[in-house]
Each structure stands twice: as C-alpha cells, then as structure tokens.
Amino acid sequence: MKIGVIVFSKTNNTFSVADRLRAALAEKGLDIEIERIVPENDDPGAKPPIVFTNNPDVSPYDVVIFASPVWAFSLAVVMKEYLEQVGSLQGKKVYSFVTKQLASKFTGGIKANRQIKSAVVEKGGTVEKSFIVSWKNKKREEEIDSLIAEILKAV
Ligand SMILES: Cc1cc2nc3c(=O)[nH]c(=O)nc-3n(C[C@H](O)[C@H](O)[C@H](O)COP(=O)(O)O)c2cc1C
C-alpha cells in the first residue's frame, strides 16, 4: 500500500504537519511520500488559471491525503485549482486536513474541508475523514497528534 501526502503550503505550517505525519507513518513501516503542489505564483491574490511548476500525480497511491491552508475563509485557491484538474481518485482512500490561524469555529476550516470533499467526489473518490489544525489554538499539538493517530489507525 502506497500513501501519498499531497500538500500545498506557502509558509510551511501545513508542510510541517504533513512531515510529522510522514515521519510517524514511516516509523510504523508504511510506504509514505510527500509531494508538494507548487504554483508558479503563490500570491493569494493570483487569479486562476494557476500554472503549476510541480503538479503531483496521484495515480501511484492507494491512499491520498490532501493538505492545504485556509485562505479567506475558504480552501486556498491553489489547492482548489489543483483538485479541479487532478487525476481519478476512484478506488483510493482519501483523507484531508487543513491548517488555519484562528482557533474559533467558522473561520474557514469546515468550509475548506467541505470544498476538498466535493472536489474529491467529482474525481470519483470519497474523503473518509478530514481534520483541522488551528495554529493559534493552545491545543494545536493535541490536534496534530490526534490527526496522526487517527490516520494511522485508519490506513
Ligand atoms: C491570504 C491568506 C488568507 C488567510 N485566511 C485565513 C482565514 O480565513 N482563516 C484563518 O483561520 N486563517 C487564515 N489564514 C492563515 C493561514 O490559513 C494559516 O497561517 C495557515 O496555517 C498557513 O499555512 P501554510 O503555512 O501551510 O501556508 C490566511 C492566510 C493567508 C496568507
């Protein structure tokens, strides 16, 4: 079973969580890789269509974990655009997590995960579970540990 963490991260919060997840799953002997989505222009104000300088292919993976920041109470436009053109997710187990700054509810995490969910359905897949990490939350470490534990249990 091959696991791919497909991550967009501008300031590395999301990437740092993805890397902890990778290390934890690799330690358990799982075959896991991180691939970064890299746009030519990562300015949050950049208008679609977005050109990718690294556009990860999901076809080698049995399990795919999408990870992105929240931008403006929604999924970062880079991830949104990536998911619109990603290959088939049929038959794959999919998970998602988003990171955001604010700990309070209704600051975009639920919406962003919902946007990932809809995009995954469009590609024939289903998101089994999704997670939110709030950077300013006092319980951030617990959120990260619990995300890692839940994915580890599920895959
Ligand atoms: C343009 C922009 C918009 C953002 N909008 C939100 C928001 O609506 N809600 C929130 O909680 N955080 C928001 N943030 C904060 C990021 O979601 C947060 O810092 C995230 O962890 C960054 O991830 P990264 O380091 O992987 O890029 C925004 C950041 C940027 C750059």
Side-chain angles (χ1 to χ4, degrees):
M1 180 183 65
K2 220 170 153 49
I3 306 169
V5 187
I6 310 295
V7 57
F8 169 62
S9 183
K10 183 174 163 70
T11 54
N12 279 331
N13 292 349
T14 315
F15 185 82
S16 71
V17 178
D19 200 43
R20 281 171 65 173
L21 176 66
R22 181 202 55 72
L25 271 63
E27 203 188 328
K28 298 282 178 194
L30 292 161
D31 179 2
I32 180 164
E33 265 181 51
I34 298 186
E35 293 200 56
R36 282 187 96 125
I37 299 166
V38 184
E40 205 169 77
N41 179 1
D42 69 357
D43 180 344
K47 294 271 177 284
I50 286 172
V51 176
F52 296 98
T53 51
N54 196 48
N55 188 348
D57 174 14
V58 292
S59 65
Y61 303 113
D62 307 295
V63 177
V64 181
I65 301 160
F66 292 115
S68 170
V70 169
W71 280 357
F73 305 104
S74 300
L75 184 62
V77 66
V78 174
M79 180 57 98
K80 186 167 177 284
E81 288 275 303
Y82 169 80
L83 288 172
E84 275 174 22
Q85 49 82 65
V86 75
S88 172
L89 292 165
Q90 196 104 41
K92 299 182 192 295
K93 269 185 151 181
V94 183
Y95 299 87
S96 74
F97 69 86
V98 294
T99 72
K100 63 192 182 87
Q101 206 54 237
L102 309 167
S104 54
K105 268 189 170 182
F106 313 118
T107 46
I110 294 168
K111 180 177 174 188
N113 271 327
R114 206 186 305 129
Q115 287 175 280
I116 295 177
K117 207 171 186 171
S118 310
V120 167
V121 166
E122 287 289 313
K123 302 294 174 177
T126 322
V127 177
E128 313 249 337
K129 256 190 176 171
S130 49
F131 307 87
I132 300 171
V133 176
S134 302
W135 225 250
K136 284 203 172 142
N137 190 344
K138 284 198 297 281
K139 294 188 172 161
R140 182 176 87 202
E141 285 304 303
E142 284 169 45
E143 286 180 333
I144 297 171
D145 288 344
S146 137
L147 170 165
I148 292 171
E150 291 230 21
I151 292 181
L152 192 52
K153 197 168 60 184
V155 293

